[in-house]
Amino acid sequence: MKPETRQQEIIRVAAKLFKEKGYSAVTMRDLAKEMGIKASSLYNHISSKQDILNTIIIALAEEFTDGMRRIQSSNTNCITKLKQIIELHVKISSQNIYGMASLNNDWMHLQDQRDYYQKLRIDYENDFRAILKQGIDANEIVNSNPEVMMFSILTTLRSLYVWIPKKEDINLSELSNTLNQILIEGINK
Amino acid sequence: MKPETRQQEIIRVAAKLFKEKGYSAVTMRDLAKEMGIKASSLYNHISSKQDILNTIIIALAEEFTDGMRRIQSSNTNCITKLKQIIELHVKISSQNIYGMASLNNDWMHLQDQRDYYQKLRIDYENDFRAILKQGIDANEIVNSNPEVMMFSILTTLRSLYVWIPKKEDINLSELSNTLNQILIEGINK
DNA sequence: GTCTATATTTTGATAGAC
DNA sequence: GTCTATCAAAATATAGAC
């Protein structure tokens, strides 16, 4: 493990503050204070506030894109792919809880990279939708509205970052399994 | 129907802008421009930017609290209560899509009313949890982790505002039914 | 009810010393 | 790599004319 650079430290601390108050409400002075330095000193390591947001969001968005590509190319049925998607979200979210907040809530404050982010997001949703439709066609899952199914599952997974840190007593593979059971099988007895 | 006052119009337009960029990123000049007046003119109708946020969020939070109270006092089983909760969220969210964005994303920017909001939110979650636990005890729903169940269902319902406006071809009672089926019965066949 | 003018603070960012 | 000093722009809000 390489030691964290000053730049990486700034980005990590920024993501934590962004999670609490959102990108727009966090000032460079807030960030500097949290780092124990003056605001002007930040600019020796990063080029702008906007650039911090770019770095946080794009890295995560590409991680999801890569994960989805791997799942697609795995030669498995729909239910298994959904399980893999759940595991992907649990893994990425638990590894970068603060960044996930920016990904979900602050992407609209991207400037140069906003279009690129939105393309990745739309592609991801299309891939997700395709898996559900294949599952319906193959008679693996119920023939209900795939948009509502996707919305329900994806919203839950995208919000994992809010909830994961609160319950440290649950280990991650157990969380994946429980989520899989509830999202796929429902809660009715 | 009483005609909308200028104050109500400002709050409505503000909520729309808050949904797009978040409370902190919307300036009084943005809001004034959208209203077709100057920023200083806004202050003849509202006392502060903060006050707009208060009005939007607290009204909605109290609406949810009232709804939950009604559901609790209805003498029905757990599954029925969950169905009523889903209908409550679909109804309130569809009637105030913009306000729901502030409720979900900008409550941390409340000042005087922040503690009050958080109490309402915690109470709501406790009531939800109690319904699930009663359902488990009564053998109505699966004996899985109630925290994960609540997280999954409540996150989906809280995010309805993101998704409702995109699919106007679905009517609301049909949406409630589909959501109920997917959240309660799952998607597995 | 809206305007112009303005006060006061805060913002992101730069220059240059150490 | 951090500091002090500072800039220019943008923020919320008020006062007073119409």
Side-chain angles (χ1 to χ4, degrees), chain A residues 74-85:
Chain A
S74 77
N75 221 350
T76 51
N77 60 20
C78 159
I79 293 287
T80 307
K81 279 182 180 153
L82 288 177
K83 189 178 163 72
Q84 289 170 334
I85 290 176

Side-chain angles (χ1 to χ4, degrees), chain B residues 82-165:
Chain B
L82 288 177
K83 189 178 165 68
Q84 290 170 335
I85 290 176
I86 291 170
E87 284 163 354
L88 178 69
H89 279 260
V90 168
K91 188 181 171 218
I92 296 178
S93 299
S94 63
Q95 284 171 354
N96 198 342
I97 286 169
Y98 300 133
M100 285 303 299
S102 298
L103 183 75
N104 274 303
N105 305 321
D106 286 321
W107 59 267
M108 72 284 280
H109 299 120
L110 290 173
Q111 289 169 4
D112 295 352
Q113 308 256 51
R114 184 172 154 157
D115 287 349
Y116 173 56
Y117 162 79
Q118 285 195 293
K119 179 179 165 28
L120 292 186
R121 183 180 173 111
I122 289 171
D123 288 347
Y124 190 87
E125 291 179 0
N126 282 337
D127 292 340
F128 197 119
R129 219 184 314 262
I131 291 172
L132 287 176
K133 284 184 179 164
Q134 285 161 14
I136 293 174
D137 291 343
N139 218 29
E140 286 182 59
I141 62 177
V142 294
N143 188 8
S144 196
N145 189 323
E147 293 298 320
V148 181
M149 288 192 253
M150 177 169 87
F151 160 72
S152 169
I153 297 174
L154 205 41
T155 296
T156 296
L157 297 179
R158 280 178 175 155
S159 302
L160 271 170
Y161 76 96
V162 177
W163 189 80
I164 283 186

Side-chain angles (χ1 to χ4, degrees), chain A residues 51-102:
Chain A
D51 196 51
I52 297 176
L53 188 67
N54 274 337
T55 306
I56 293 172
I57 292 183
I58 299 301
L60 273 169
E62 291 180 339
E63 223 178 312
F64 277 105
T65 299
D66 291 347
M68 178 60 89
R69 203 162 292 153
R70 248 178 290 122
I71 291 167
Q72 276 182 313
S73 65
S74 77
N75 221 350
T76 51
N77 60 20
C78 159
I79 293 287
T80 307
K81 279 182 180 153
L82 288 177
K83 189 178 163 72
Q84 289 170 334
I85 290 176
I86 291 169
E87 285 164 353
L88 178 68
H89 279 261
V90 168
K91 188 182 172 217
I92 295 178
S93 300
S94 64
Q95 283 170 355
N96 198 341
I97 286 170
Y98 300 133
M100 286 303 300
S102 298

Side-chain angles (χ1 to χ4, degrees), chain A residues 6 36-38 40-41 44-45:
Chain A
R6 201 82 169 118
I37 58 179
K38 296 290 173 181
S40 56
S41 303
N44 256 290
H45 307 281

Side-chain angles (χ1 to χ4, degrees), chain B residues 37-64:
Chain B
I37 57 177
K38 296 290 173 183
S40 56
S41 303
L42 294 169
Y43 290 91
N44 256 290
H45 308 281
I46 52 98
S47 63
S48 66
K49 186 186 176 188
Q50 173 69 206
D51 196 50
I52 297 175
L53 188 67
N54 273 339
T55 306
I56 294 171
I57 293 183
I58 298 301
L60 273 170
E62 290 179 340
E63 224 178 311
F64 277 106

Side-chain angles (χ1 to χ4, degrees), chain B residues 60-79:
Chain B
L60 273 170
E62 290 179 340
E63 224 178 311
F64 277 106
T65 298
D66 291 346
M68 178 60 90
R69 205 161 293 152
R70 247 177 291 121
I71 291 167
Q72 276 182 313
S73 65
S74 77
N75 220 351
T76 52
N77 60 20
C78 160
I79 294 288

